[in-house]
Amino acid sequence: MKLFLKKAFFFLLITQSVQAADDLFEDHQDIKRQATSFLESKLDSLGNEYNIQILNIDHRLKVKKCLSPIQIELAEEHIKAGKNTLKVRCNSDTPWRLFMSANIKIFGYAIISKHPLRKGHLIKKNDLELKKMELSRLHSPYLRDADQAVNYVLKKRLRRGDIVSVNNLSKPIIIKRGDTIEILAKNNEFQISMKGVALKAGSKGDKIKVKNMKTQRTIQGIILDNHTVKVNL
């Protein structure tokens, strides 16, 4: 009986000593919970569904109990899908700092092709549809609104279900080199028009060189539509 009491007392003493030592250091799981809350506050503002996985802190690393609130911030300027690094620090009398890694999956909607589309195809609204997916898997800028792709031309073909990437879109050429066009010259007081020739191909809004057919003078203007280039006087 005495031996049992001695063992029980020894076990209680050891347990209390371990507990006392643990009270001197931050609980890793508590730091992870605070880091998760920090990331959630950032992600909630984006309005997308997400999944957060924070990697465990090395169990050998012990940091002293912080007497002031632990500060957490992103190592990068903005939160992003994929790997993010967090800077965690304590600014109390015994300051410390550590880095944590978090993998973030973001889910949302992106525009995809409804059916196969050839290179050079002028996109129409019925070519596209919106689909929910893991956005963190996408490696090029994507679109959320079909109107952002309508009347653009594909630089390369798409299979059914392919993402419509911003990098795969170009504005349609509406004036070709050698086309006869109307040069519209205007200022705040008046405007005149004259016949000209396009010296370069371009899309709406592009700046190209044109030649006045009457004076043979070369000038630069902005394409308004498929037969008009505006120059400022």
Side-chain angles (χ1 to χ4, degrees):
M1 186 66 178
K2 290 182 179 180
L3 180 60
F4 173 78
L5 290 174
K6 286 181 180 180
K7 286 182 177 181
F9 176 75
F10 179 75
F11 176 78
L12 180 61
L13 186 62
I14 292 295
T15 302
Q16 289 176 337
S17 299
V18 170
Q19 183 64 46
D22 287 343
D23 289 342
L24 297 176
F25 300 101
E26 288 290 345
D27 178 14
H28 288 187
Q29 293 304 312
D30 184 53
I31 296 176
K32 284 182 65 175
R33 283 190 289 272
Q34 291 186 57
T36 299
S37 296
F38 168 80
L39 292 173
E40 287 175 343
S41 67
K42 296 285 186 183
L43 291 165
D44 284 343
S45 64
L46 300 179
N48 287 321
E49 294 182 28
Y50 56 82
N51 175 269
I52 301 172
Q53 181 186 20
I54 297 183
L55 276 62
N56 288 327
I57 304 170
D58 189 333
H59 69 277
R60 295 168 297 181
L61 180 63
K62 292 187 179 296
V63 290
K64 290 187 176 181
K65 207 76 171 178
C66 192
L67 300 180
S68 58
I70 291 175
Q71 297 184 0
I72 302 174
E73 61 185 11
L74 290 166
E76 300 86 8
E77 186 175 355
H78 300 291
I79 195 168
K80 64 182 186 297
K83 184 179 179 181
N84 290 261
T85 301
L86 299 176
K87 292 190 290 186
V88 184
R89 68 174 184 267
C90 172
N91 291 329
S92 64
D93 293 338
T94 54
W96 50 260
R97 183 179 68 170
L98 60 86
F99 291 90
M100 300 176 68
S101 293
N103 290 318
I104 296 175
K105 293 180 180 180
I106 296 178
F107 302 89
Y109 288 89
I111 296 296
I112 65 169
S113 59
K114 264 189 189 178
H115 38 252
L117 300 173
R118 60 177 174 78
K119 178 182 177 180
H121 177 76
L122 182 66
I123 296 177
K124 300 178 285 295
K125 197 156 189 174
N126 61 6
D127 292 325
L128 311 170
E129 64 181 343
L130 201 59
K131 183 180 179 181
K132 186 177 181 179
M133 62 186 65
E134 184 186 336
L135 301 179
S136 43
R137 290 180 177 270
L138 304 184
H139 301 295
S140 57
Y142 59 92
L143 301 174
R144 296 185 182 184
D145 185 349
D147 290 336
Q148 294 175 302
V150 171
N151 292 328
Y152 278 77
V153 173
L154 287 174
K155 295 180 183 178
K156 64 179 182 179
R157 71 180 184 89
L158 292 178
R159 297 164 299 181
R160 179 182 178 183
D162 279 353
I163 293 292
V164 179
S165 168
V166 174
N167 297 337
N168 191 22
L169 300 177
S170 63
K171 292 186 291 184
I173 299 298
I174 59 174
I175 289 180
K176 298 178 182 177
R177 182 176 179 178
D179 281 356
T180 299
I181 50 93
E182 180 183 3
I183 300 173
L184 180 65
K186 62 183 298 185
N187 60 22
N188 292 332
E189 298 178 355
F190 68 94
Q191 70 177 41
I192 56 174
S193 63
M194 60 214 81
K195 293 294 182 182
V197 177
L199 301 180
K200 184 181 178 183
S203 305
K204 184 176 181 179
D206 287 350
K207 188 177 287 187
I208 63 168
K209 287 184 178 180
V210 296
K211 181 183 285 188
N212 186 320
M213 293 176 69
K214 184 176 181 179
T215 65
Q216 296 299 300
R217 181 186 171 196
T218 297
I219 50 181
Q220 198 171 61
I222 296 173
I223 297 175
L224 293 183
D225 52 41
N226 58 359
H227 64 271
T228 310
V229 174
K230 185 186 80 170
V231 298
N232 292 320
L233 295 175

